Amino acid sequence: MWRAALKGALGHRARLVISGLVVGCSVAFVVATLVFTDTLSASFESIFEDSFAGFDIQVRTEIDPDLTFSIPAPVDVATLDVVRSIEGVRQAQGSVTGFLQLEGPDGEPIESQGPPILGLTWPEVPSIAEIREGSEPVELDEVAIDAATATKAGIDVGDRIVLVGLGAPTEATVSGIVAFGDAESAGGVITVFSTVELGQQLFDLAGRYSTLEVVTEGETSVVAERIEFALGEGFEAIAADDLARQQVEGFQDAIGFIRTFVLVFAGVALFVGTFVISNIFRVTIAQRTRELAVLRAIGARASQIRNLMLAEALVISLFASVLGAVGGIGLASVIRTAFDAAAIPLPPGPLEISAGAVSLGVAVGIVVTAVAALLPAFKAAGVSPIEAMREGFAPPGRRALRGRILVGGPLAGAGVAALLLGLFAPLPETFPDAIWLVGAGAVLLFVGVAVLAAVIARPVAGFLGRPIAASGSVAGVLARENAMRSPRRTGLTASALMISLALVGLVAILADSARTTADALIEDQFRADLIIAPTGFSSLGFSPEVAAAVERVDEVETIGRLRQGEVLVDDRSRFIAGGTPAVFDLVAYEVVTGSFADLGPGKVAVREGDESLDVGHVLEVIAPVGGAQSLEVVAVYTGSPNAFFVSMDVFENLFSERLDTQVLVRFDPSADFEAGLAAVEAAIGDFPSIQIQDQEAFRVEATGQIGGIVNLLYALLAVSIVIGTLGVIGTLLLSVVERTREIGLLRAIGMNRRQVRRMIRWESVIIAVFGGVLGTVIGIVFGVSVVQAIGEDLTLSLPFGQLGWWLLIAAALGILAATYPARRASRLDILEAIAYE
């Protein structure tokens, strides 16, 4: 059996190569994602462990461990004195941590593409940070900076740089360049070390520290208990090992989202691959009907034929999955190199290639191939020794098409029902996340439509091919008839592209709706003349001194300040905004009930639909400062990305960070806009990494960010589109083999090679456009459903122009997919083709 399976797999090279590429691409996607995220996790785990290796206990104000990367409320000097007096404490230091903005010695802002710029005080206890060049900061105006940033920004020891924390810009001299063991940065974070005094000045922490670090001379757990007892409620003493574990778990949760996000697209690629492999096996089995009939005639049982087909699928899957796993490891290395090239340095070290990641990838490839080959294998087992002696790939009769309606109809109906329930129906609290119901509905709908595609393939292919045949070209007429002659093959091949293009259509509709909504919100809501915001991703905000400087500009009539932070609500991370009263004059949020004027101590406004709260209800939140707190709902609003809104005073009671995320500016009506803009630019010119935008620039940036996300989604979907295109190539190649005698006869009666190539190309275009039309229709259904489910926060917009371009791309893919099969068909030897048996 295995010998026959191996010969069968190797004897059909086209099927082996195409199926291998399909499975290999999907497996590589999975393995690359797992290896890359495992490498990130292992690298940062090492960094966190090393970072906390110099001390035994960290003392801080109490903060929920799920708010891993939030900064706790500061502790005062008296707390440090108490800790130093406790038995078992050998050494204790106070340290200061905060977020900075930087300007290099050349006057240009220093920014990163991801992690924030972190300001730290130089540790008195042992640390992984070590001076590579120069010396540690000692004087008030001295700092040390990580080696990666120094290299990138061209900073040398002795250079002067500008730092901005919560106050005005401060100049400092670079006294040293810092490395972290073998790494030049702490996982890509721009890190600036200062003295405690300068850190307290930068972050407005005079007489206070962010945390205390303790080195013990006794049992760590016992000393921690003594510290917590001495300090009382509101403080916690955490062992360094536990602190490192918390940081690692928080980081793993963050990259867990990335892993899940990418694996979803890998799953889409695998799903598409299932259709491709199944179709290739179906066509191959139809072409091997006589071979299978002979095996049945000489005594092979139906179960043996079925097992033979599954064994061949296993041989192909093993071959492809192993190559895919190797390719996935290479792809993970390429991704890592791409991060470095994009100036997002990652910790050095080898790739974390675990047996689990590779095994999972290989297992996925084997399972997908087995599932794809299962139905064709049962079909092969049903071959009759006598009836199957005829040759060819007979089109399904009316009974077969009726069976597809009976199967595909309920599947598609169940898919639509599941989608509607997941998107619109109120589900019980005990029910799992609705996204699973939506996903299951999408899968059922895709399978149902794929089954039904053969039913409509003949008329649709005839319609799509009519303009081609009407041109008078013999090749066009034959291409149309070929596509119509095998509706099952045409339908299944088109289904692979259908899935990818349906998701592309969904993304296009969501993106266009988001752009339309953003444009409308900015035009309708923003009454400010200017929006001041941080540039890039390296800054989480900017100094409140920016707003103070702008407020002193003569042309400015009103300014509003906004901040944003993370709290926990029902153990879920949610964003909450804080703002000054002028914000509600400069941004016209739509109030459903209540009033923003009632915001004050202990009050909160809630976005409509969040938490099912109304005016008068109490919202329980857990914040970095103060822990669990109750806020009364005084307003319900729409038109904001933030789930909750509080006054600036309440926000400062919830968070220790004091950075503004936006400043909104309105000029005096009598002022000249250009003069006011120039005055604002001059007022905050010394603050780095800040941009000033008018409404149009702000709108362009907002829609540009949406475009960046969409391009990423398109790039991830490209893998499934490539797999769908491979399916067209494979089907056409096998179709050429099936029609060898037919093509030979056409050549014998006068068809030239160019006409043969044109015939294959037009057939491929018809199949690809058929898949594109199916995908576009389903994509529109998906897109409209999702936008309607989101509700008033998103305005439906159908980008017919983009959808039309994707149909043209589908046609282009058809031409591309037909290139090699058409060339092979045109080069068939006429005499050998006619003599084909």
Side-chain angles (χ1 to χ4, degrees), residues 230-244:
L231 297 181
E233 188 177 351
F235 291 90
E236 57 184 353
I238 308 174
D241 291 343
D242 294 336
L243 189 62

Side-chain angles (χ1 to χ4, degrees), residues 216-350:
T216 66
E217 54 187 5
E219 182 68 32
T220 298
S221 59
V222 174
V223 177
E225 290 176 0
R226 291 173 183 165
I227 292 173
E228 290 186 344
F229 179 78
L231 297 181
E233 188 177 351
F235 291 90
E236 57 184 353
I238 308 174
D241 291 343
D242 294 336
L243 189 62
R245 186 176 64 255
Q246 286 182 14
Q247 298 279 0
V248 169
E249 289 174 354
F251 179 78
Q252 287 176 337
D253 287 342
I255 66 170
F257 165 76
I258 299 173
R259 173 183 292 191
T260 302
F261 178 74
V262 178
L263 286 179
V264 165
F265 289 89
V268 171
L270 288 165
F271 187 54
V272 173
T274 303
F275 281 86
V276 172
I277 297 168
S278 180
N279 194 30
I280 290 174
F281 267 90
R282 281 179 178 274
V283 175
T284 304
I285 287 169
Q287 293 173 359
R288 295 170 63 187
T289 301
R290 176 172 295 180
E291 172 192 333
L292 298 175
V294 170
L295 290 174
R296 290 298 310 278
I298 63 176
R301 297 187 303 274
S303 60
Q304 288 178 308
I305 298 296
R306 182 184 64 246
N307 293 339
L308 175 64
M309 295 296 101
L310 292 176
E312 285 189 23
L314 181 60
V315 170
I316 292 173
S317 65
L318 282 172
F319 163 77
S321 297
V322 170
L323 288 183
V326 174
I329 294 170
L331 180 59
S333 181
V334 169
I335 294 172
R336 184 171 184 168
T337 303
F339 269 79
D340 290 334
I344 308 176
L346 299 177

Side-chain angles (χ1 to χ4, degrees), residues 563-642:
R563 293 178 183 174
Q564 190 179 67
E566 179 189 18
V567 295
L568 297 177
V569 177
D570 294 332
D571 295 328
R572 288 193 301 158
S573 174
R574 307 300 298 273
F575 285 108
I576 187 169
T580 56
V583 167
F584 307 112
D585 184 35
L586 298 172
V587 181
Y589 294 115
E590 183 180 347
V591 179
V592 179
T593 57
S595 172
F596 281 118
D598 294 330
L599 284 176
K603 310 296 183 183
V604 64
V606 182
R607 187 175 59 189
E608 186 178 32
D610 280 302
E611 309 305 322
S612 300
L613 296 175
D614 203 349
V615 172
H617 285 77
V618 175
L619 178 70
E620 302 292 340
V621 303
I622 298 176
V625 176
Q629 300 185 40
S630 299
L631 301 173
E632 181 187 354
V633 177
V634 294
V636 178
Y637 63 95
T638 62
S640 170
N642 297 291

Side-chain angles (χ1 to χ4, degrees), residues 48 149 278 282 312 372 499 713 741:
F48 289 136
T149 303
S278 180
R282 281 179 178 274
E312 285 189 23
I499 298 168
L713 296 177
R741 179 179 293 178

Side-chain angles (χ1 to χ4, degrees), residues 13 59 76 110 173 228 252 262 272 282 304 355 365 377 414 572 618 657 661 727 731 773 810:
R13 286 173 294 177
V59 180
D76 55 30
I110 298 174
T173 300
E228 290 186 344
Q252 287 176 337
V262 178
V272 173
R282 281 179 178 274
Q304 288 178 308
R572 288 193 301 158
V618 175
E657 294 96 331
T661 54
T731 301
V773 170

